[in-house]
């Protein structure tokens, strides 16, 4: 092989090696780009270490509000420190995560549980919600000062790196300084909307200084003040004569308070479903950077929405124009005073405490021993003690003998049970009418006989229960004679009829 041929072969080998080297570098770059893309996508996933801490007095609507954000119809209230979660979905990335929620009981005895909900690990990833109720607007000052002091003390007790805390405080200041209004003409799912957060502006622009009174107390925590149960405003107007200037005074005061802590403000009503969905979207915006396209709302007094960074003292001063009977600097509780307590009448019945069974029986035994037990009432047909001090036997009365003599084997004897029953019924009617003692009536019947007058007796008591020494009116005597004569006459006719019937039967 000549020299020219060798040079050509060497050139081909060199070019082949270069091409192979180039292909290897291209494959390596391809894998590098794939790995970097996967890493970028994994970093854009919704984080799972975010949480919300809900603080507020009892009956301020904490549990109901969180249940509404969860989509739960029937909230279950617990005690102490409750934990729940809210499902958060990123529709653009088709990603789903859970936002942890800690709800602290309003009982001061449970404040020590706050260390589990806010600690060194989750300090930089926690958003705080402070709840107030429109049902008690006169207590807003005390409640906000109380809970902010508890929160401030807890943050001061955290053993975190001062640099980390400073970064969190700087983040809040930057978000206030770089706040801008929503651009509504962008597509809701556009990536541009996602990369440019609402609180960001052109990086080339210098950040504006904080307005007057903003973030004078910077805890490094996102704070959202939520006024619940705003549907109660109509009740305040009706029962306590609240006017628009009262609500404007309340709103300007709480907005100035929010400025000091860099907090957002929401007026919500779960009952009327006002601002609940917007609150959910705003929370996901502040925590995960998801889009929030709703501007500030200050027109409707029961549906106020003020995002952090929008408000300032100049905008608040607009409310001063409607305040005629009060001034913005007036003490809050001088204008929004607590009404006098009303004595509420309980509809519940007084609870009766049951007596111990053994104590009840012991008391009854004592009464029996003292002879105070109630005696059983005697029947009018019971025999009464006779004049000789002995009890006469009770005369049995057949169930069917109510005025006619009973037939026994076709024969009737004058001293049978049927005749005695008829006489007993007769004298019983006299007893019921004239309060005649059965014993005295029986003695009168025994002394006078069947054919004689019942008034001709030698008993020491008369038929009407009055002793012989007591006078008896003539009308009463006449009535007694007439009744006795009629009854004895009827009895004689019945006896004669029965005897005739018996004789007829014997002849047959």
């Amino acid at each position: 092989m000549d020299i020219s041929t060798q040079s050509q072969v060497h050139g081909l080998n060199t070019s082949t090696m270069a091409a192979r080297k180039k292909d290897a570098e291209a494959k390596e770059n391809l894998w590098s780009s794939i790995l970097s893309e996967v890493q970028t996508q994994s970093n854009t996933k919704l984080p799972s270490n975010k949480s919300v801490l809900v603080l507020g007095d009892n009956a301020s609507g904490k549990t109901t509000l969180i249940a509404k954000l969860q989509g739960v119809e029937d909230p279950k209230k617990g005690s102490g420190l409750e934990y729940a979660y809210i499902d958060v979905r990123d529709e653009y990335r088709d990603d789903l995560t859970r936002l942890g929620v800690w709800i602290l009981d309003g009982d001061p005895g449970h404040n020590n549980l706050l260390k589990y909900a806010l600690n060194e690990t989750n300090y930089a990833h926690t958003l705080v919600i402070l709840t107030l109720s429109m049902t008690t607007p006169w207590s807003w000052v005390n409640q906000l000062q109380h809970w902010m002091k508890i929160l401030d003390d807890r943050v001061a007790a955290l053993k975190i790196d001062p640099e980390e805390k400073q970064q969190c405080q700087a983040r809040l200041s930057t978000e206030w300084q770089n706040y801008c209004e929503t651009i509504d003409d962008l597509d809701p799912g556009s990536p541009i909307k996602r990369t440019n957060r609402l609180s960001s502006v052109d990086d080339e622009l210098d950040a504006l200084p904080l307005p007057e009174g903003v973030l004078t107390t910077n805890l490094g925590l996102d704070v959202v003040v939520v006024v619940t149960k705003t549907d109660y405003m109509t009740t305040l107007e009706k029962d306590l004569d609240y006017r628009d200037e009262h609500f404007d005074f309340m709103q300007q005061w709480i907005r100035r308070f929010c400025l000091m802590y860099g907090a957002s403000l929401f007026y919500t009503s779960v009952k009327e479903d006002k601002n609940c969905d917007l609150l959910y979207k705003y929370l996901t915006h502040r925590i995960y950077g998801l889009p929030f396209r709703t501007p500030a709302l200050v027109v409707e007094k029961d549906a106020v929405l003020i995002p952090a960074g929008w408000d300032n003292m100049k905008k608040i001063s607009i409310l001063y124009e409607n305040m005629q009977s009060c001034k913005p600097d007036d003490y809050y509780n001088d204008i929004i005073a607590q009404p006098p307590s009303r004595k509420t009448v309980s509809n519940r019945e007084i609870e009766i405490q049951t007596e111990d069974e053994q104590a009840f029986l012991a008391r009854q035994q004592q009464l029996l021993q003292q002879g105070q037990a109630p005696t059983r009432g005697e029947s009018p047909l019971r025999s009464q003690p006779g004049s000789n001090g002995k009890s006469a036997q009770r005369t049995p009365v057949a169930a069917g003998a109510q005025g006619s003599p009973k037939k026994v084997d076709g024969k009737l004897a004058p001293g049978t049970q049927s005749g005695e029953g008829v006489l007993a019924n007769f004298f019983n009617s006299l007893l019921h009418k004239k309060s005649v003692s059965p014993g005295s009536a029986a003695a009168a019947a025994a002394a006078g006989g069947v054919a004689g007058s019942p008034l001709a007796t030698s008993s020491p008591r008369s038929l009407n229960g009055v002793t012989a020494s007591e006078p008896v009116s003539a009308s009463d005597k006449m009535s007694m004679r007439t009744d006795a004569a009629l009854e004895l006459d009827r009895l004689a006719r019945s006896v004669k009829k029965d005897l005739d019937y018996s004789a007829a039967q014997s002849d047959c």
Side-chain angles (χ1 to χ4, degrees), residues 136-154:
T136 56
W138 44 84
S139 62
W140 284 5
V141 175
N142 294 333
Q143 291 182 19
L144 285 175
Q145 292 177 352
H146 169 73
W147 288 109
M148 291 308 300
K149 184 179 185 305
I150 291 178
L151 189 61
D152 192 3
D153 293 343
R154 179 57 192 164

PDB file of all heavy atoms in Angstrom, residues 136-154:
ATOM      1  N   THR A 136     -70.276  38.651  68.810  1.00  0.00           N
ATOM      2  CA  THR A 136     -69.754  39.379  69.974  1.00  0.00           C
ATOM      3  C   THR A 136     -68.699  40.388  69.522  1.00  0.00           C
ATOM      4  O   THR A 136     -67.512  40.254  69.847  1.00  0.00           O
ATOM      5  CB  THR A 136     -69.140  38.409  70.998  1.00  0.00           C
ATOM      6  OG1 THR A 136     -68.129  37.622  70.343  1.00  0.00           O
ATOM      7  CG2 THR A 136     -70.198  37.494  71.592  1.00  0.00           C
ATOM      8  N   PRO A 137     -69.075  41.421  68.776  1.00  0.00           N
ATOM      9  CA  PRO A 137     -68.062  42.370  68.278  1.00  0.00           C
ATOM     10  C   PRO A 137     -67.414  43.188  69.387  1.00  0.00           C
ATOM     11  O   PRO A 137     -66.322  43.723  69.186  1.00  0.00           O
ATOM     12  CB  PRO A 137     -68.875  43.256  67.319  1.00  0.00           C
ATOM     13  CG  PRO A 137     -70.281  43.175  67.802  1.00  0.00           C
ATOM     14  CD  PRO A 137     -70.434  41.777  68.340  1.00  0.00           C
ATOM     15  N   TRP A 138     -68.062  43.304  70.537  1.00  0.00           N
ATOM     16  CA  TRP A 138     -67.487  44.086  71.634  1.00  0.00           C
ATOM     17  C   TRP A 138     -66.284  43.393  72.275  1.00  0.00           C
ATOM     18  O   TRP A 138     -65.583  44.006  73.067  1.00  0.00           O
ATOM     19  CB  TRP A 138     -68.560  44.357  72.683  1.00  0.00           C
ATOM     20  CG  TRP A 138     -69.383  43.151  72.998  1.00  0.00           C
ATOM     21  CD1 TRP A 138     -69.105  42.144  73.866  1.00  0.00           C
ATOM     22  CD2 TRP A 138     -70.627  42.801  72.381  1.00  0.00           C
ATOM     23  NE1 TRP A 138     -70.083  41.192  73.857  1.00  0.00           N
ATOM     24  CE2 TRP A 138     -71.039  41.566  72.949  1.00  0.00           C
ATOM     25  CE3 TRP A 138     -71.441  43.404  71.405  1.00  0.00           C
ATOM     26  CZ2 TRP A 138     -72.229  40.935  72.577  1.00  0.00           C
ATOM     27  CZ3 TRP A 138     -72.615  42.765  71.038  1.00  0.00           C
ATOM     28  CH2 TRP A 138     -73.005  41.553  71.616  1.00  0.00           C
ATOM     29  N   SER A 139     -66.043  42.138  71.956  1.00  0.00           N
ATOM     30  CA  SER A 139     -64.918  41.416  72.557  1.00  0.00           C
ATOM     31  C   SER A 139     -63.746  41.263  71.598  1.00  0.00           C
ATOM     32  O   SER A 139     -62.790  40.545  71.910  1.00  0.00           O
ATOM     33  CB  SER A 139     -65.380  40.032  73.027  1.00  0.00           C
ATOM     34  OG  SER A 139     -65.828  39.249  71.938  1.00  0.00           O
ATOM     35  N   TRP A 140     -63.792  41.915  70.443  1.00  0.00           N
ATOM     36  CA  TRP A 140     -62.734  41.755  69.457  1.00  0.00           C
ATOM     37  C   TRP A 140     -61.376  42.214  69.981  1.00  0.00           C
ATOM     38  O   TRP A 140     -60.363  41.562  69.758  1.00  0.00           O
ATOM     39  CB  TRP A 140     -63.088  42.525  68.178  1.00  0.00           C
ATOM     40  CG  TRP A 140     -64.125  41.852  67.346  1.00  0.00           C
ATOM     41  CD1 TRP A 140     -64.822  40.720  67.657  1.00  0.00           C
ATOM     42  CD2 TRP A 140     -64.587  42.268  66.066  1.00  0.00           C
ATOM     43  NE1 TRP A 140     -65.689  40.399  66.649  1.00  0.00           N
ATOM     44  CE2 TRP A 140     -65.578  41.337  65.663  1.00  0.00           C
ATOM     45  CE3 TRP A 140     -64.289  43.322  65.218  1.00  0.00           C
ATOM     46  CZ2 TRP A 140     -66.238  41.441  64.444  1.00  0.00           C
ATOM     47  CZ3 TRP A 140     -64.952  43.436  64.010  1.00  0.00           C
ATOM     48  CH2 TRP A 140     -65.918  42.505  63.620  1.00  0.00           C
ATOM     49  N   VAL A 141     -61.358  43.333  70.666  1.00  0.00           N
ATOM     50  CA  VAL A 141     -60.084  43.887  71.135  1.00  0.00           C
ATOM     51  C   VAL A 141     -59.404  42.903  72.080  1.00  0.00           C
ATOM     52  O   VAL A 141     -58.218  42.561  71.906  1.00  0.00           O
ATOM     53  CB  VAL A 141     -60.305  45.242  71.822  1.00  0.00           C
ATOM     54  CG1 VAL A 141     -59.005  45.759  72.415  1.00  0.00           C
ATOM     55  CG2 VAL A 141     -60.876  46.254  70.844  1.00  0.00           C
ATOM     56  N   ASN A 142     -60.130  42.444  73.072  1.00  0.00           N
ATOM     57  CA  ASN A 142     -59.536  41.523  74.048  1.00  0.00           C
ATOM     58  C   ASN A 142     -59.106  40.215  73.396  1.00  0.00           C
ATOM     59  O   ASN A 142     -58.046  39.658  73.717  1.00  0.00           O
ATOM     60  CB  ASN A 142     -60.531  41.246  75.176  1.00  0.00           C
ATOM     61  CG  ASN A 142     -60.824  42.474  75.999  1.00  0.00           C
ATOM     62  OD1 ASN A 142     -59.993  43.388  76.095  1.00  0.00           O
ATOM     63  ND2 ASN A 142     -61.999  42.534  76.602  1.00  0.00           N
ATOM     64  N   GLN A 143     -59.915  39.708  72.474  1.00  0.00           N
ATOM     65  CA  GLN A 143     -59.585  38.427  71.845  1.00  0.00           C
ATOM     66  C   GLN A 143     -58.335  38.532  70.974  1.00  0.00           C
ATOM     67  O   GLN A 143     -57.442  37.675  71.051  1.00  0.00           O
ATOM     68  CB  GLN A 143     -60.772  37.938  71.010  1.00  0.00           C
ATOM     69  CG  GLN A 143     -61.980  37.525  71.842  1.00  0.00           C
ATOM     70  CD  GLN A 143     -63.116  36.996  70.983  1.00  0.00           C
ATOM     71  OE1 GLN A 143     -62.909  36.612  69.838  1.00  0.00           O
ATOM     72  NE2 GLN A 143     -64.319  36.988  71.522  1.00  0.00           N
ATOM     73  N   LEU A 144     -58.262  39.573  70.156  1.00  0.00           N
ATOM     74  CA  LEU A 144     -57.102  39.715  69.277  1.00  0.00           C
ATOM     75  C   LEU A 144     -55.822  39.946  70.076  1.00  0.00           C
ATOM     76  O   LEU A 144     -54.779  39.348  69.785  1.00  0.00           O
ATOM     77  CB  LEU A 144     -57.333  40.858  68.294  1.00  0.00           C
ATOM     78  CG  LEU A 144     -58.295  40.565  67.143  1.00  0.00           C
ATOM     79  CD1 LEU A 144     -58.526  41.811  66.306  1.00  0.00           C
ATOM     80  CD2 LEU A 144     -57.778  39.443  66.263  1.00  0.00           C
ATOM     81  N   GLN A 145     -55.886  40.805  71.069  1.00  0.00           N
ATOM     82  CA  GLN A 145     -54.702  41.045  71.888  1.00  0.00           C
ATOM     83  C   GLN A 145     -54.287  39.789  72.642  1.00  0.00           C
ATOM     84  O   GLN A 145     -53.087  39.503  72.772  1.00  0.00           O
ATOM     85  CB  GLN A 145     -54.970  42.200  72.856  1.00  0.00           C
ATOM     86  CG  GLN A 145     -55.131  43.546  72.177  1.00  0.00           C
ATOM     87  CD  GLN A 145     -55.463  44.660  73.163  1.00  0.00           C
ATOM     88  OE1 GLN A 145     -55.721  44.413  74.346  1.00  0.00           O
ATOM     89  NE2 GLN A 145     -55.462  45.892  72.687  1.00  0.00           N
ATOM     90  N   HIS A 146     -55.268  39.038  73.119  1.00  0.00           N
ATOM     91  CA  HIS A 146     -54.964  37.814  73.861  1.00  0.00           C
ATOM     92  C   HIS A 146     -54.257  36.790  72.990  1.00  0.00           C
ATOM     93  O   HIS A 146     -53.199  36.252  73.358  1.00  0.00           O
ATOM     94  CB  HIS A 146     -56.268  37.241  74.425  1.00  0.00           C
ATOM     95  CG  HIS A 146     -56.138  35.863  74.990  1.00  0.00           C
ATOM     96  ND1 HIS A 146     -55.515  35.597  76.186  1.00  0.00           N
ATOM     97  CD2 HIS A 146     -56.536  34.646  74.501  1.00  0.00           C
ATOM     98  CE1 HIS A 146     -55.541  34.302  76.425  1.00  0.00           C
ATOM     99  NE2 HIS A 146     -56.153  33.697  75.419  1.00  0.00           N
ATOM    100  N   TRP A 147     -54.791  36.527  71.814  1.00  0.00           N
ATOM    101  CA  TRP A 147     -54.224  35.475  70.970  1.00  0.00           C
ATOM    102  C   TRP A 147     -52.929  35.913  70.306  1.00  0.00           C
ATOM    103  O   TRP A 147     -52.032  35.074  70.094  1.00  0.00           O
ATOM    104  CB  TRP A 147     -55.250  35.038  69.918  1.00  0.00           C
ATOM    105  CG  TRP A 147     -56.359  34.238  70.523  1.00  0.00           C
ATOM    106  CD1 TRP A 147     -57.661  34.617  70.705  1.00  0.00           C
ATOM    107  CD2 TRP A 147     -56.250  32.920  71.074  1.00  0.00           C
ATOM    108  NE1 TRP A 147     -58.365  33.623  71.323  1.00  0.00           N
ATOM    109  CE2 TRP A 147     -57.535  32.565  71.559  1.00  0.00           C
ATOM    110  CE3 TRP A 147     -55.211  32.012  71.200  1.00  0.00           C
ATOM    111  CZ2 TRP A 147     -57.780  31.338  72.155  1.00  0.00           C
ATOM    112  CZ3 TRP A 147     -55.451  30.784  71.796  1.00  0.00           C
ATOM    113  CH2 TRP A 147     -56.737  30.458  72.265  1.00  0.00           C
ATOM    114  N   MET A 148     -52.784  37.176  69.993  1.00  0.00           N
ATOM    115  CA  MET A 148     -51.524  37.630  69.419  1.00  0.00           C
ATOM    116  C   MET A 148     -50.408  37.576  70.455  1.00  0.00           C
ATOM    117  O   MET A 148     -49.250  37.307  70.120  1.00  0.00           O
ATOM    118  CB  MET A 148     -51.672  39.037  68.862  1.00  0.00           C
ATOM    119  CG  MET A 148     -52.550  39.135  67.624  1.00  0.00           C
ATOM    120  SD  MET A 148     -52.095  38.000  66.282  1.00  0.00           S
ATOM    121  CE  MET A 148     -50.421  38.505  65.925  1.00  0.00           C
ATOM    122  N   LYS A 149     -50.740  37.815  71.708  1.00  0.00           N
ATOM    123  CA  LYS A 149     -49.728  37.700  72.755  1.00  0.00           C
ATOM    124  C   LYS A 149     -49.296  36.248  72.927  1.00  0.00           C
ATOM    125  O   LYS A 149     -48.102  35.944  73.088  1.00  0.00           O
ATOM    126  CB  LYS A 149     -50.254  38.248  74.077  1.00  0.00           C
ATOM    127  CG  LYS A 149     -49.208  38.256  75.206  1.00  0.00           C
ATOM    128  CD  LYS A 149     -49.776  38.825  76.470  1.00  0.00           C
ATOM    129  CE  LYS A 149     -48.692  38.942  77.538  1.00  0.00           C
ATOM    130  NZ  LYS A 149     -47.993  37.666  77.788  1.00  0.00           N
ATOM    131  N   ILE A 150     -50.265  35.328  72.898  1.00  0.00           N
ATOM    132  CA  ILE A 150     -49.933  33.901  73.000  1.00  0.00           C
ATOM    133  C   ILE A 150     -49.058  33.486  71.821  1.00  0.00           C
ATOM    134  O   ILE A 150     -48.058  32.755  71.981  1.00  0.00           O
ATOM    135  CB  ILE A 150     -51.218  33.064  73.063  1.00  0.00           C
ATOM    136  CG1 ILE A 150     -51.935  33.295  74.392  1.00  0.00           C
ATOM    137  CG2 ILE A 150     -50.905  31.584  72.875  1.00  0.00           C
ATOM    138  CD1 ILE A 150     -53.236  32.553  74.524  1.00  0.00           C
ATOM    139  N   LEU A 151     -49.397  33.957  70.627  1.00  0.00           N
ATOM    140  CA  LEU A 151     -48.614  33.609  69.446  1.00  0.00           C
ATOM    141  C   LEU A 151     -47.222  34.224  69.511  1.00  0.00           C
ATOM    142  O   LEU A 151     -46.219  33.570  69.158  1.00  0.00           O
ATOM    143  CB  LEU A 151     -49.360  34.083  68.194  1.00  0.00           C
ATOM    144  CG  LEU A 151     -48.808  33.626  66.850  1.00  0.00           C
ATOM    145  CD1 LEU A 151     -48.835  32.105  66.738  1.00  0.00           C
ATOM    146  CD2 LEU A 151     -49.603  34.252  65.710  1.00  0.00           C
ATOM    147  N   ASP A 152     -47.140  35.468  69.954  1.00  0.00           N
ATOM    148  CA  ASP A 152     -45.848  36.137  70.076  1.00  0.00           C
ATOM    149  C   ASP A 152     -44.957  35.423  71.083  1.00  0.00           C
ATOM    150  O   ASP A 152     -43.753  35.213  70.851  1.00  0.00           O
ATOM    151  CB  ASP A 152     -46.069  37.593  70.478  1.00  0.00           C
ATOM    152  CG  ASP A 152     -44.800  38.426  70.336  1.00  0.00           C
ATOM    153  OD1 ASP A 152     -43.779  37.886  69.866  1.00  0.00           O
ATOM    154  OD2 ASP A 152     -44.828  39.618  70.697  1.00  0.00           O
ATOM    155  N   ASP A 153     -45.535  35.034  72.222  1.00  0.00           N
ATOM    156  CA  ASP A 153     -44.748  34.325  73.238  1.00  0.00           C
ATOM    157  C   ASP A 153     -44.259  32.973  72.718  1.00  0.00           C
ATOM    158  O   ASP A 153     -43.142  32.551  73.031  1.00  0.00           O
ATOM    159  CB  ASP A 153     -45.585  34.123  74.502  1.00  0.00           C
ATOM    160  CG  ASP A 153     -45.901  35.436  75.206  1.00  0.00           C
ATOM    161  OD1 ASP A 153     -45.226  36.451  74.919  1.00  0.00           O
ATOM    162  OD2 ASP A 153     -46.843  35.451  76.026  1.00  0.00           O
ATOM    163  N   ARG A 154     -45.091  32.315  71.934  1.00  0.00           N
ATOM    164  CA  ARG A 154     -44.697  31.004  71.406  1.00  0.00           C
ATOM    165  C   ARG A 154     -43.555  31.145  70.400  1.00  0.00           C
ATOM    166  O   ARG A 154     -42.599  30.350  70.410  1.00  0.00           O
ATOM    167  CB  ARG A 154     -45.904  30.314  70.746  1.00  0.00           C
ATOM    168  CG  ARG A 154     -45.584  28.954  70.140  1.00  0.00           C
ATOM    169  CD  ARG A 154     -44.996  28.029  71.167  1.00  0.00           C
ATOM    170  NE  ARG A 154     -44.426  26.822  70.558  1.00  0.00           N
ATOM    171  CZ  ARG A 154     -43.599  26.017  71.190  1.00  0.00           C
ATOM    172  NH1 ARG A 154     -43.206  26.270  72.432  1.00  0.00           N
ATOM    173  NH2 ARG A 154     -43.126  24.952  70.578  1.00  0.00           N
TER     174      ARG A 154
END
